[in-house]
Amino acid sequence: MKNAPKISIVMPAYNAEKRITNAIESVIQQKFKKWELLIVNDGSSDNTLQVCNTYARKDERIKVYSQKNKGPSSARNTALNLINGDLLMFLDADDTLEKHTLSILVSVFEEDNNIDLCIFAWNIIRNGKKITHKFSKRELRGNKEDYFRNIAYSSNWNIYSGGYPWNKVWKVKTIFKDGMIKFNEHVVLLEDRLFALEAIDKINKLKVINHPLYNYVINENSTSHSSNISTILKQNLYCYDALKYEYKYIEKYHNSARDIAQKALLQGQINCLWFVLRNFERKDILNELQIVINDFRETRFKYLNLKLSIKYILIRLRLHNFDLSNK
């Protein structure tokens, strides 16, 4: 145990007083004890900070920092500047770890010192029901390039682990070699996906295990799961903005995956415009989306799947009719 690697767990927290206790307790109850939990209170207006400080006073492995509200990317970056561990993982304030999570993950790195990244299965908790997401045989055999390309683009965001930060453990000295990777604070959604792609570019070897070690709790009241049409429109625009950052990164640093990045951009354009055309009758909404529309018109068609291809054709027709009506 003395020579075992230390795990740094990063947790951003915003107005999480009702849920964060479960997250913290799931770390304290780990069988493996060589960890540090860095909680960054991101300008909460409730009692999140007080709850965290209470735990920090009882356990010196829990470190609490506070900042003005700047978003989860900024909160994670604050913690990344302060970690002291050999391994890095992320835990959201809504979620929990299984009891043996850290023990299992440490054993993976101890069995093979060449591993830089371990990706693991997870549970989805919704309305009290647990659904386990495990990997296929193909995903279990996947290499670094397989995971990079499938995170950069897929019609199913859960395959090949998605760009999620919480189902991965990274070797710190590998991903921070030649400079620390940070979350892009200009990106509102999918910021974790870009971080994952940049980090994967730095690793040599990864291992995928089918142990569900993380409980991802879906909070129906959160903005990421909102059913409000205006909110969903904003989310689509934020996602498209993130895809443009992703494309620029891949074009510059991982050009062999440029074809994948182009598909991701086209999918983002289709999703955004299809949602607008289905839910808004006002033509002035299209004027507000002029950047996406211009990009869509300039993007060469690439076959994604039958459903998206049909949407692509219908959007083209609708935009053509829109142009004619404005002449």
Side-chain angles (χ1 to χ4, degrees):
M1 185 69 76
K2 266 188 177 181
N3 296 323
K6 181 180 180 180
I7 301 182
S8 294
I9 306 168
V10 168
M11 181 192 294
Y14 175 72
N15 287 353
E17 64 175 356
K18 295 178 181 177
R19 307 175 301 277
I20 199 168
T21 295
N22 291 335
I24 297 172
E25 287 288 347
S26 76
V27 177
I28 294 172
Q29 292 169 13
Q30 291 295 305
K31 300 296 183 183
F32 180 80
K33 302 298 182 183
K34 195 174 177 182
W35 52 262
E36 63 173 358
L37 174 61
L38 295 87
I39 307 173
V40 179
N41 171 52
D42 187 39
S44 298
S45 58
D46 63 1
N47 292 317
T48 297
L49 181 59
Q50 292 88 321
V51 172
C52 295
N53 282 336
T54 298
Y55 277 101
R57 284 192 291 268
K58 296 176 183 177
D59 193 325
E60 62 181 9
R61 296 172 298 177
I62 299 174
K63 301 163 186 178
V64 181
Y65 307 93
S66 201
Q67 63 180 36
K68 292 180 180 179
N69 180 240
K70 298 178 182 178
S73 290
S74 174
R76 289 181 182 130
N77 286 339
T78 296
L80 289 177
N81 286 318
L82 300 163
I83 61 173
N84 290 300
D86 305 294
L87 302 174
L88 167 68
M89 67 182 299
F90 297 90
L91 172 62
D92 286 349
D94 294 351
D95 304 336
T96 61
L97 303 177
E98 290 288 313
K99 230 172 224 186
H100 298 281
T101 293
L102 301 188
S103 299
I104 291 172
L105 293 174
V106 166
S107 69
V108 169
F109 287 89
E110 287 183 324
E111 288 168 10
D112 186 346
N113 191 49
N114 293 317
I115 291 173
D116 299 308
L117 164 64
C118 179
I119 301 172
F120 49 90
W122 67 93
N123 299 309
I124 299 172
I125 312 294
R126 189 173 205 154
N127 299 325
K129 294 181 180 178
K130 180 187 285 189
I131 300 172
T132 299
H133 179 91
K134 287 194 171 187
F135 297 103
S136 66
K137 290 181 181 179
R138 189 175 183 179
E139 290 171 290
L140 289 170
R141 294 192 301 265
N143 59 28
K144 165 182 170 176
E145 187 65 13
D146 293 330
Y147 273 81
F148 186 96
R149 290 177 70 87
N150 280 281
I151 288 173
Y153 168 73
S154 173
S155 56
N156 179 353
W157 285 8
N158 282 338
I159 68 167
Y160 285 88
S161 82
Y164 311 125
W166 38 258
N167 57 1
K168 301 173 180 67
V169 179
W170 309 86
K171 187 178 285 182
V172 172
K173 71 178 182 181
T174 300
I175 66 166
F176 288 166
K177 184 181 179 182
D178 300 323
M180 180 184 291
I181 300 171
K182 291 194 174 184
F183 288 85
N184 189 327
E185 296 181 26
H186 299 292
V187 178
V188 178
L189 291 177
L190 300 188
E191 75 290 342
D192 40 13
R193 192 160 110 168
L194 184 54
F195 178 92
L197 293 175
E198 290 187 42
I200 287 174
D201 261 344
K202 289 199 170 189
I203 71 166
N204 294 307
K205 185 176 182 181
L206 62 82
K207 184 176 180 65
V208 184
I209 59 175
N210 247 344
H211 297 283
L213 303 178
Y214 190 98
N215 297 311
Y216 176 66
V217 181
I218 294 180
N219 172 20
E220 302 293 353
N221 294 321
S222 70
T223 53
S224 60
H225 298 101
S226 173
S227 59
N228 179 278
I229 288 179
S230 295
T231 301
I232 296 173
L233 173 59
K234 282 184 181 178
Q235 290 172 352
N236 274 282
L237 290 170
Y238 288 147
C239 285
Y240 182 63
D241 187 51
L243 291 171
K244 293 185 79 168
Y245 275 103
E246 184 180 296
Y247 179 82
K248 289 176 184 176
Y249 171 80
I250 290 174
E251 187 178 40
K252 186 174 183 180
Y253 297 106
H254 200 120
N255 200 253
S256 62
R258 189 178 174 204
D259 60 318
I260 292 296
Q262 289 171 336
K263 282 188 173 184
L265 263 185
L266 179 56
Q267 183 184 32
Q269 293 162 8
I270 291 171
N271 288 341
C272 192
L273 294 174
W274 182 255
F275 178 80
V276 171
L277 294 173
R278 285 288 304 273
N279 291 283
F280 293 93
E281 297 299 327
R282 292 171 20 227
K283 292 180 180 179
D284 59 306
I285 291 291
L286 289 178
N287 294 327
E288 295 175 26
L289 294 169
Q290 202 57 54
I291 292 176
V292 182
I293 292 170
N294 290 343
D295 289 348
F296 178 76
R297 283 174 167 149
E298 293 174 7
T299 302
R300 292 181 64 184
F301 174 75
K302 287 181 174 290
Y303 183 79
L304 305 175
N305 58 45
L306 181 59
K307 188 176 180 180
L308 286 171
S309 297
I310 292 172
K311 288 181 178 179
Y312 174 90
I313 294 169
L314 293 174
I315 291 169
R316 283 281 184 189
L317 290 171
R318 289 289 297 273
L319 290 178
H320 179 69
N321 292 336
F322 174 72
D323 289 340
L324 290 176
S325 66
N326 281 340
K327 285 184 177 179

